Every structure is written in C-alpha cells, then in structure tokens.
Coordinates of all heavy atoms in Angstrom, one line a residue:
R1 N 0.8 -1.2 0.0 CA 0.0 0.0 0.0 C 0.9 1.3 0.0 O 0.5 2.3 -0.6 CB -0.9 0.0 1.2 CG -1.9 -1.2 1.2 CD -2.8 -1.2 2.4 NE -3.7 -2.4 2.3 CZ -5.0 -2.4 2.4 NH1 -5.6 -1.2 2.7 NH2 -5.8 -3.5 2.4
K2 N 2.0 1.2 0.6 CA 3.0 2.3 0.6 C 3.4 2.6 -0.8 O 3.5 3.8 -1.2 CB 4.2 2.0 1.5 CG 5.2 3.1 1.6 CD 6.3 2.7 2.5 CE 7.4 3.8 2.6 NZ 8.5 3.4 3.5
Q3 N 3.7 1.6 -1.5 CA 4.1 1.8 -2.9 C 3.0 2.4 -3.8 O 3.3 3.3 -4.6 CB 4.6 0.5 -3.5 CG 5.9 0.0 -3.0 CD 6.3 -1.4 -3.5 OE1 5.4 -2.2 -3.8 NE2 7.6 -1.6 -3.7
C4 N 1.8 1.9 -3.5 CA 0.6 2.5 -4.3 C 0.5 4.0 -4.0 O 0.1 4.7 -4.9 CB -0.6 1.7 -3.8 SG -0.7 0.0 -4.4
A5 N 0.7 4.4 -2.7 CA 0.5 5.8 -2.4 C 1.7 6.6 -3.0 O 1.4 7.7 -3.7 CB 0.5 6.0 -0.9
I6 N 2.9 6.2 -2.9 CA 4.0 7.0 -3.4 C 4.0 7.1 -4.9 O 4.3 8.1 -5.5 CB 5.4 6.3 -2.9 CG1 5.5 6.4 -1.4 CG2 6.6 7.0 -3.6 CD1 6.7 5.7 -0.8
E7 N 3.5 6.0 -5.6 CA 3.5 6.0 -7.0 C 2.6 7.1 -7.6 O 2.9 7.7 -8.6 CB 2.9 4.6 -7.5 CG 2.9 4.5 -9.0 CD 1.5 4.9 -9.5 OE1 0.5 4.9 -8.8 OE2 1.4 5.2 -10.7
K8 N 1.5 7.5 -6.9 CA 0.6 8.5 -7.3 C 1.4 9.9 -7.3 O 1.1 10.7 -8.2 CB -0.6 8.6 -6.4 CG -1.5 7.4 -6.6 CD -2.1 7.3 -8.0 CE -3.0 6.1 -8.2 NZ -3.5 5.9 -9.6
Y9 N 2.2 10.1 -6.3 CA 3.0 11.3 -6.3 C 4.0 11.4 -7.4 O 4.2 12.4 -8.0 CB 3.6 11.5 -4.9 CG 2.7 11.8 -3.8 CD1 2.1 10.7 -3.1 CD2 2.3 13.1 -3.4 CE1 1.2 11.0 -2.1 CE2 1.4 13.3 -2.4 CZ 0.8 12.3 -1.7 OH -0.1 12.5 -0.7
I10 N 4.7 10.3 -7.6 CA 5.7 10.2 -8.7 C 5.0 10.5 -10.0 O 5.5 11.3 -10.8 CB 6.4 8.9 -8.7 CG1 7.2 8.7 -7.4 CG2 7.3 8.7 -9.9 CD1 7.8 7.3 -7.2
L11 N 3.9 9.9 -10.2 CA 3.1 10.1 -11.5 C 2.7 11.5 -11.6 O 2.9 12.1 -12.7 CB 1.9 9.2 -11.5 CG 1.0 9.3 -12.7 CD1 1.7 8.6 -13.9 CD2 -0.3 8.6 -12.5
A12 N 2.1 12.1 -10.6 CA 1.6 13.5 -10.7 C 2.8 14.5 -10.9 O 2.6 15.4 -11.8 CB 0.9 13.9 -9.4
F13 N 3.8 14.4 -10.2 CA 5.0 15.3 -10.3 C 5.6 15.1 -11.7 O 6.0 16.0 -12.4 CB 6.0 15.2 -9.2 CG 5.4 15.5 -7.9 CD1 5.8 14.9 -6.7 CD2 4.4 16.5 -7.7 CE1 5.3 15.2 -5.5 CE2 3.8 16.8 -6.5 CZ 4.3 16.1 -5.3
G14 N 5.8 13.8 -12.1 CA 6.4 13.5 -13.4 C 5.6 14.0 -14.5 O 6.1 14.5 -15.5
S15 N 4.3 13.9 -14.4 CA 3.4 14.4 -15.5 C 3.4 15.9 -15.6 O 3.4 16.5 -16.7 CB 1.9 13.9 -15.2 OG 1.8 12.5 -15.3
G16 N 3.5 16.6 -14.4 CA 3.7 18.0 -14.4 C 4.9 18.5 -15.1 O 4.9 19.4 -15.9
F17 N 6.0 17.8 -14.8 CA 7.3 18.1 -15.5 C 7.2 17.8 -17.0 O 7.9 18.5 -17.8 CB 8.5 17.5 -14.8 CG 8.9 18.1 -13.5 CD1 8.7 17.5 -12.3 CD2 9.5 19.4 -13.6 CE1 9.1 18.1 -11.1 CE2 9.9 20.0 -12.4 CZ 9.7 19.4 -11.2
A18 N 6.5 16.7 -17.3 CA 6.4 16.4 -18.8 C 5.6 17.5 -19.5 O 5.9 17.9 -20.6 CB 5.6 15.0 -18.9
G19 N 4.6 18.0 -18.8 CA 3.8 19.2 -19.4 C 4.7 20.4 -19.6 O 4.6 21.1 -20.6
L20 N 5.6 20.6 -18.6 CA 6.6 21.7 -18.7 C 7.5 21.5 -19.9 O 7.7 22.4 -20.7 CB 7.4 21.8 -17.4 CG 8.7 22.7 -17.4 CD1 8.2 24.1 -17.6 CD2 9.5 22.5 -16.2
I21 N 8.0 20.3 -20.1 CA 8.9 20.0 -21.2 C 8.3 20.2 -22.6 O 8.8 20.8 -23.5 CB 9.5 18.6 -21.1 CG1 10.5 18.5 -19.9 CG2 10.3 18.2 -22.3 CD1 10.9 17.1 -19.5
V22 N 7.0 19.6 -22.7 CA 6.3 19.8 -23.9 C 6.0 21.3 -24.3 O 6.2 21.7 -25.4 CB 4.9 19.0 -23.8 CG1 4.0 19.4 -25.0 CG2 5.1 17.5 -23.8
A23 N 5.6 22.0 -23.2 CA 5.4 23.5 -23.4 C 6.6 24.2 -23.8 O 6.6 25.1 -24.7 CB 4.8 24.1 -22.2
L24 N 7.8 23.8 -23.2 CA 9.0 24.5 -23.5 C 9.5 24.3 -24.9 O 9.9 25.2 -25.6 CB 10.1 24.0 -22.5 CG 10.1 24.6 -21.1 CD1 11.2 23.9 -20.3 CD2 10.4 26.1 -21.2
I25 N 9.3 23.0 -25.4 CA 9.7 22.7 -26.8 C 8.8 23.6 -27.8 O 9.4 24.2 -28.7 CB 9.4 21.2 -27.1 CG1 10.4 20.4 -26.3 CG2 9.6 20.9 -28.6 CD1 10.2 18.9 -26.3
I26 N 7.5 23.6 -27.5 CA 6.7 24.4 -28.4 C 7.0 25.9 -28.3 O 7.0 26.6 -29.3 CB 5.2 24.1 -28.1 CG1 4.9 22.6 -28.3 CG2 4.3 25.0 -29.0 CD1 3.5 22.2 -27.9
L27 N 7.2 26.4 -27.1 CA 7.5 27.8 -26.9 C 8.8 28.2 -27.6 O 8.9 29.3 -28.1 CB 7.6 28.1 -25.4 CG 6.2 28.2 -24.7 CD1 6.4 28.2 -23.2 CD2 5.5 29.5 -25.1
F28 N 9.8 27.3 -27.5 CA 11.1 27.7 -28.2 C 10.9 27.7 -29.7 O 11.5 28.6 -30.3 CB 12.2 26.7 -27.8 CG 12.8 27.0 -26.4 CD1 12.7 26.0 -25.4 CD2 13.4 28.2 -26.2 CE1 13.3 26.3 -24.2 CE2 14.0 28.5 -24.9 CZ 13.9 27.5 -23.9
I29 N 10.1 26.8 -30.2 CA 9.8 26.9 -31.6 C 9.0 28.2 -32.0 O 9.4 28.9 -32.9 CB 8.9 25.7 -32.1 CG1 9.7 24.4 -31.9 CG2 8.4 25.9 -33.5 CD1 8.9 23.1 -32.2
A30 N 8.1 28.6 -31.1 CA 7.3 29.8 -31.3 C 8.3 31.0 -31.2 O 8.1 32.0 -31.9 CB 6.2 29.9 -30.3
N31 N 9.2 30.9 -30.3 CA 10.2 32.0 -30.1 C 11.1 32.2 -31.3 O 11.4 33.3 -31.8 CB 11.0 31.8 -28.8 CG 11.8 33.0 -28.4 OD1 11.3 34.1 -28.4 ND2 13.1 32.8 -28.2
L32 N 11.6 31.0 -31.8 CA 12.5 31.1 -33.0 C 11.8 31.6 -34.2 O 12.4 32.3 -35.1 CB 13.0 29.7 -33.2 CG 14.0 29.1 -32.2 CD1 14.4 27.7 -32.5 CD2 15.3 30.0 -32.3
T33 N 10.5 31.3 -34.4 CA 9.7 31.8 -35.5 C 9.1 33.2 -35.3 O 8.4 33.6 -36.2 CB 8.6 30.8 -35.8 OG1 7.8 30.6 -34.7 CG2 9.1 29.4 -36.3
K34 N 9.5 33.8 -34.2 CA 9.0 35.1 -33.9 C 7.5 35.2 -33.7 O 6.9 36.3 -33.7 CB 9.4 36.1 -35.0 CG 10.9 36.1 -35.3 CD 11.8 36.5 -34.2 CE 13.3 36.6 -34.6 NZ 14.2 37.0 -33.5
M35 N 6.8 34.1 -33.4 CA 5.4 34.1 -33.3 C 5.0 34.3 -31.8 O 3.8 34.7 -31.5 CB 4.8 32.8 -33.8 CG 5.0 32.6 -35.3 SD 4.3 31.0 -35.9 CE 2.5 31.4 -35.7
N36 N 5.9 34.1 -30.9 CA 5.6 34.3 -29.5 C 6.9 34.5 -28.7 O 7.4 33.5 -28.2 CB 4.7 33.2 -28.9 CG 4.2 33.5 -27.5 OD1 4.4 34.6 -27.0 ND2 3.5 32.6 -26.9
E37 N 7.4 35.7 -28.7 CA 8.7 35.9 -28.2 C 8.7 36.1 -26.6 O 7.7 36.6 -26.1 CB 9.4 37.1 -28.8 CG 9.6 36.9 -30.3 CD 10.3 38.1 -31.0 OE1 9.6 39.1 -31.3 OE2 11.5 38.1 -31.2
F38 N 9.7 35.7 -26.0 CA 9.8 35.9 -24.5 C 11.3 36.0 -24.1 O 12.2 35.6 -24.9 CB 9.2 34.7 -23.8 CG 9.8 33.4 -24.1 CD1 10.8 32.9 -23.5 CD2 9.2 32.6 -25.1 CE1 11.4 31.6 -23.8 CE2 9.7 31.4 -25.5 CZ 10.8 30.9 -24.8
T39 N 11.5 36.5 -22.9 CA 12.9 36.7 -22.4 C 13.3 35.6 -21.5 O 12.4 34.9 -21.0 CB 13.1 38.1 -21.8 OG1 12.2 38.1 -20.6 CG2 12.6 39.2 -22.7
S40 N 14.5 35.5 -21.1 CA 15.0 34.5 -20.2 C 14.4 34.8 -18.8 O 14.1 33.9 -18.0 CB 16.5 34.4 -20.1 OG 17.0 35.7 -19.8
V41 N 14.2 36.1 -18.5 CA 13.7 36.5 -17.2 C 12.2 36.0 -17.1 O 11.8 35.5 -16.0 CB 13.7 38.0 -17.0 CG1 13.0 38.4 -15.7 CG2 15.2 38.5 -16.9
E42 N 11.5 36.2 -18.1 CA 10.1 35.7 -18.2 C 10.0 34.2 -18.0 O 9.1 33.7 -17.4 CB 9.4 36.2 -19.5 CG 9.1 37.7 -19.5 CD 8.5 38.1 -20.9 OE1 8.9 37.5 -21.9 OE2 7.8 39.0 -20.9
L43 N 11.0 33.5 -18.6 CA 11.0 32.1 -18.6 C 11.2 31.6 -17.1 O 10.5 30.7 -16.6 CB 12.1 31.5 -19.4 CG 12.4 30.0 -19.4 CD1 11.2 29.3 -19.9 CD2 13.6 29.7 -20.2
I44 N 12.2 32.2 -16.4 CA 12.5 31.9 -15.0 C 11.3 32.2 -14.1 O 10.9 31.4 -13.3 CB 13.8 32.6 -14.6 CG1 15.0 32.1 -15.3 CG2 14.0 32.4 -13.1 CD1 16.2 32.9 -15.1
E45 N 10.7 33.4 -14.4 CA 9.5 33.8 -13.6 C 8.4 32.8 -13.7 O 7.7 32.4 -12.8 CB 9.1 35.2 -14.0 CG 10.0 36.3 -13.5 CD 9.5 37.6 -13.9 OE1 8.6 37.7 -14.8 OE2 10.1 38.7 -13.4
S46 N 8.2 32.3 -15.0 CA 7.0 31.4 -15.3 C 7.2 30.1 -14.6 O 6.3 29.5 -14.0 CB 6.9 31.2 -16.8 OG 6.7 32.5 -17.4
I47 N 8.5 29.6 -14.6 CA 8.7 28.3 -14.0 C 8.6 28.4 -12.5 O 8.1 27.5 -11.8 CB 10.1 27.8 -14.3 CG1 10.2 27.5 -15.9 CG2 10.5 26.5 -13.5 CD1 11.6 27.1 -16.4

C-alpha cells in the first residue's frame, strides 16, 4: 500500500514536469519563428 501511495505522487509530479517540457519545446519553436517571443527572465519567472 505504501508503494501504491508513493506511485501517485511520482506520477503527478512526473506528469507536471512532462507538461513543462512539452510546453518549453513548443514555446522555443514559437520564439524562434518570432510568433511568441519571450525573455529568459520571463522564462524563469514562469517556472
């Protein structure tokens, strides 16, 4: 039961970071194509 409980936290935090990575990839593409530009300060603040 301990493993069942801990697994839910690993899944939730891991999925959250996966969402961050997917968003970062798309955002960098948008930034390179000048469609949605942002600064490094805004990036740090957002995270």
Side-chain angles (χ1 to χ4, degrees):
R1 295 177 183 233
K2 180 179 179 180
Q3 288 175 326
C4 290
I6 293 174
E7 180 267 339
K8 291 299 181 185
Y9 289 89
I10 295 173
L11 180 72
F13 298 149
S15 297
F17 281 111
L20 170 64
I21 292 169
V22 170
L24 282 174
I25 292 171
I26 300 175
L27 280 168
F28 279 121
I29 293 173
N31 191 49
L32 288 172
T33 56
K34 308 295 184 182
M35 296 181 69
N36 192 2
E37 296 181 281
F38 57 88
T39 65
S40 57
V41 173
E42 290 175 327
L43 176 62
I44 295 171
E45 286 178 351
S46 302
I47 295 175

